[in-house]
Amino acid sequence: MPMEESYWESMKSGVADMVNTGGRQGGSITAALFLKQFVDGNVQWLHIDMAGPVWNEKKKTATGFGVSTLVEWVLKNSS
């Protein structure tokens, strides 16, 4: 996810260090910025936001879209 620092404005809180979500716009970006706060700067990491495309409105169930791609990537890149 892009780390658009300007989204921090929507995560400011008057009672906490930060809120765990920003406004409706840029939700996946603010989620990545939130998670970034808990990862050591020397660790490579990524945030995959697949909440939207994994829901099938017609069936009212999760599709699992993206999971097989993620599993394939992990298997290919693990030793």
Side-chain angles (χ1 to χ4, degrees):
M1 301 301 306
M3 294 293 184
E4 180 56 52
E5 298 295 329
S6 66
Y7 282 89
W8 268 118
E9 288 300 312
S10 66
M11 299 173 69
K12 289 184 177 179
S13 171
V15 295
D17 294 335
M18 64 185 150
V19 295
N20 66 348
T21 184
R24 176 127 172 90
Q25 300 297 323
S28 57
I29 295 171
T30 56
L33 287 170
F34 178 80
L35 293 172
K36 178 183 175 184
Q37 304 308 302
F38 304 98
V39 179
D40 182 283
N42 297 319
V43 174
Q44 289 185 346
W45 67 282
L46 62 97
H47 171 241
I48 300 173
D49 189 78
M50 52 172 99
V54 303
W55 189 255
N56 182 320
E57 282 295 328
K58 191 173 188 179
K59 295 181 180 180
K60 303 290 185 204
T61 187
T63 66
F65 178 84
V67 174
S68 60
T69 302
L70 178 59
V71 169
E72 185 176 326
W73 183 88
V74 169
L75 292 173
K76 181 180 176 183
N77 291 284
S78 61
S79 44

